[in-house]
Amino acid sequence: MLEPISLNIAPAPQASTKPSFTPPTTTTATSIPTIKPSTTTKPTSSNARTTQSSRVRVAVRVRPLLAREHGEHESTSANPSDNRIRVNASHDFTFDHAYTQGSTQSQIYTTAVSPLVNEVVSGYNVTIMAYGQTGSGKTFTMGTTGHDTNDDDDNNDNNDTENEPNNESEQESSLLNDGPDVGITPRSIEELYSKLKLTGNNFEVSCSVLELYKDELRDLQRGGEEFCARGQSLRIQEVNGSIVVKNLVEIACRCPEDVMQCLRLSSCNRAVGSTEMNAESSRSHMVCRLTVQQFAPSKDNDSTASSGVANNSATTENEKIAPSSTSQLTFVDLAGSERLKKTMATGNRKKEGIAINKGLFHLGRVINANALGKNDPHIYRASKLTRLLQDALGGNSKTLFIA
């Protein structure tokens, strides 16, 4: 018969910065004490947390019923008070943010997105991506089309000279005066420029937009072409530990309206099609990336620093001076997952759906692996989508998933 073994455990050395505790001096093999971490050392501020859960956050928005769905049973509901999503009244899931059908664009932006814009100004990389089934309203929430929600501009063409803003600030302030349905992308862009001006630094913002269509990279600012002007194809490379796309066009944007203009032109070149589930379905994954470079203000261009936007001479000077900080704000509008029996897709639409589901499948595998702590760098090479989003999924970027 085996006798219980007595273990002598010496007290752990006590550090001055951690709360002390007294471990038991003896125990047996069948009774192992459990030491609970002290709750006094847990940070209370979300900005002070450095865990994996604080780096990646998830927000869930329950969309209203479609016209064809009226009269059906609503199986999903949200409780914003405790950020819970209930499915079929029997399963509860807790997320970082939960929004009901009546939630507004402004509410989602203020609570979930606005704090991340401040992180970009502080020098962090931030990625915001929308994920969900086709027709679930991802593009509406993101607002990546760049189109105004109201078409008043077409009716007021004759009054352009009378209503023309007197300065650039008035033009920027009127960028989002198009109603409550403005997506989080235009809101983020406007706040980004406002926050950058408050820093007093010179800054430069460049915009690049691409799509991943049937596992092929396309530059949407070149009309959706797979090749650049030199005839070289777009390719994903790792440079200094970061994922970049070679031969991708980047356009310098002096104000929020310049960025929105890039989005408008790019959305016109994005692959869009009709299925049985959505009359205007995105057939590709769209990635819009803003690269922000901040420069310490100098005595020679104090006026430029006060305005927050570099002029041509300042831009030439900034090219010779290394930026004090470089950060990126990336918007990802993923194509929705599909079921062929529901979309009734055939031919090219069927191939598009298969490519979309394949990329989302590998994206789910990477997310599951990271949740289990298996951050294997080789798993990102399974598809171009996961390779393109490697920094957002497993790098040093702060990421927000909106489902």
Side-chain angles (χ1 to χ4, degrees):
M1 179 180 298
L2 298 177
E3 296 182 358
I5 301 175
S6 177
L7 302 177
N8 293 327
I9 302 178
Q14 300 179 1
S16 58
T17 59
K18 297 182 179 180
S20 60
F21 61 89
T22 304
T25 56
T26 60
T27 184
T28 62
T30 58
S31 178
I32 301 177
T34 302
I35 301 175
K36 297 182 179 180
S38 174
T39 58
T40 58
T41 58
K42 184 177 180 180
T44 57
S45 174
S46 59
N47 294 332
R49 289 183 296 178
T50 58
T51 60
Q52 180 76 3
S53 59
S54 64
R55 191 185 64 82
V56 179
R57 294 182 172 272
V58 180
V60 178
R61 183 182 192 182
V62 180
R63 67 164 175 81
L65 293 178
L66 302 178
R68 65 173 181 269
E69 297 173 341
H70 285 298
E72 298 183 2
H73 173 67
E74 297 185 16
S75 59
T76 306
S77 61
N79 188 359
S81 60
D82 55 0
N83 295 325
R84 288 181 179 270
I85 299 293
R86 171 162 291 187
V87 181
N88 294 326
S90 59
H91 300 283
D92 289 341
F93 302 92
T94 303
F95 299 93
D96 296 290
H97 305 277
Y99 302 99
T100 62
Q101 297 181 8
S103 60
T104 62
Q105 300 278 65
S106 176
Q107 177 185 356
I108 296 174
Y109 177 79
T110 303
T111 56
V113 182
S114 181
L116 294 178
V117 178
N118 296 328
E119 301 289 351
V120 178
V121 179
S122 300
Y124 291 94
N125 296 333
V126 171
T127 302
I128 303 171
M129 64 178 68
Y131 178 87
Q133 191 181 21
T134 180
S136 59
K138 299 180 297 300
T139 302
F140 171 78
T141 300
M142 292 293 293
T144 50
T145 59
H147 297 302
D148 299 334
T149 55
N150 295 333
D151 295 328
D152 297 337
D153 294 340
D154 297 336
N155 301 329
N156 297 332
D157 288 340
N158 297 330
N159 299 329
D160 284 346
T161 55
E162 298 178 2
N163 300 329
E164 185 178 359
N166 296 328
N167 51 53
E168 188 174 285
S169 60
E170 294 182 4
Q171 180 180 2
E172 295 174 8
S173 62
S174 63
L175 178 62
L176 302 181
N177 294 336
D178 299 314
D181 292 337
V182 177
I184 64 176
T185 299
R187 297 175 187 268
S188 302
I189 293 171
E190 186 185 46
E191 184 176 4
L192 175 63
Y193 277 85
S194 299
K195 296 290 185 180
L196 288 173
K197 290 180 180 180
L198 294 177
T199 61
N201 296 332
N202 299 330
F203 63 87
E204 295 179 358
V205 179
S206 59
C207 175
S208 63
V209 187
L210 63 85
E211 72 172 351
L212 186 61
Y213 177 73
K214 291 198 294 188
D215 213 33
E216 295 293 336
L217 295 175
R218 292 182 175 183
D219 191 344
L220 292 181
Q221 296 192 114
R222 287 188 179 274
E225 296 180 359
E226 300 178 11
F227 301 89
C228 66
R230 300 186 299 271
Q232 299 177 350
S233 61
L234 304 180
R235 60 183 185 274
I236 303 175
Q237 290 185 353
E238 185 172 354
V239 179
N240 297 328
S242 300
I243 301 299
V244 298
V245 179
K246 288 293 185 180
N247 304 319
L248 183 64
V249 172
E250 290 191 4
I251 298 179
C253 300
R254 296 172 57 89
C255 62
E257 179 59 33
D258 291 346
V259 181
M260 297 305 301
Q261 183 66 17
C262 293
L263 285 176
R264 295 188 190 101
L265 297 177
S266 300
S267 63
C268 294
N269 299 322
R270 187 182 183 184
V272 178
S274 176
T275 65
E276 291 294 329
M277 294 187 65
N278 193 357
E280 192 173 347
S281 174
S282 301
R283 314 306 297 168
S284 64
H285 308 297
M286 179 178 176
V287 180
C288 173
R289 177 166 295 171
L290 301 180
T291 302
V292 181
Q293 291 182 324
Q294 300 186 54
F295 303 86
S298 59
K299 297 181 180 180
D300 297 335
N301 52 5
D302 290 338
S303 59
T304 303
S306 61
S307 63
V309 181
N311 53 26
N312 295 332
S313 60
T315 303
T316 305
E317 181 181 356
N318 289 339
E319 291 177 354
K320 302 178 182 179
I321 304 176
S324 57
S325 67
T326 301
S327 57
Q328 292 181 339
L329 176 58
T330 306
F331 302 97
V332 183
D333 185 7
L334 296 173
S337 58
E338 298 179 351
R339 288 187 178 181
L340 294 179
K341 66 169 69 174
K342 290 187 176 181
T343 59
M344 305 296 292
T346 59
N348 190 45
R349 287 287 178 268
K350 181 179 180 180
K351 294 180 181 179
E352 293 172 348
I354 293 175
I356 291 171
N357 291 339
K358 179 182 177 182
L360 295 177
F361 168 75
H362 290 293
L363 177 62
R365 288 182 60 226
V366 171
I367 295 175
N368 290 335
N370 289 340
L372 297 175
K374 301 177 181 179
N375 193 1
D376 184 7
H378 299 287
I379 195 174
Y380 297 98
R381 299 180 180 271
S383 70
K384 289 185 179 180
L385 177 61
T386 54
R387 181 64 169 166
L388 190 64
L389 301 178
Q390 181 173 349
D391 289 341
L393 298 174
N396 60 350
S397 175
K398 296 189 176 183
T399 305
L400 172 66
F401 283 91
I402 302 179

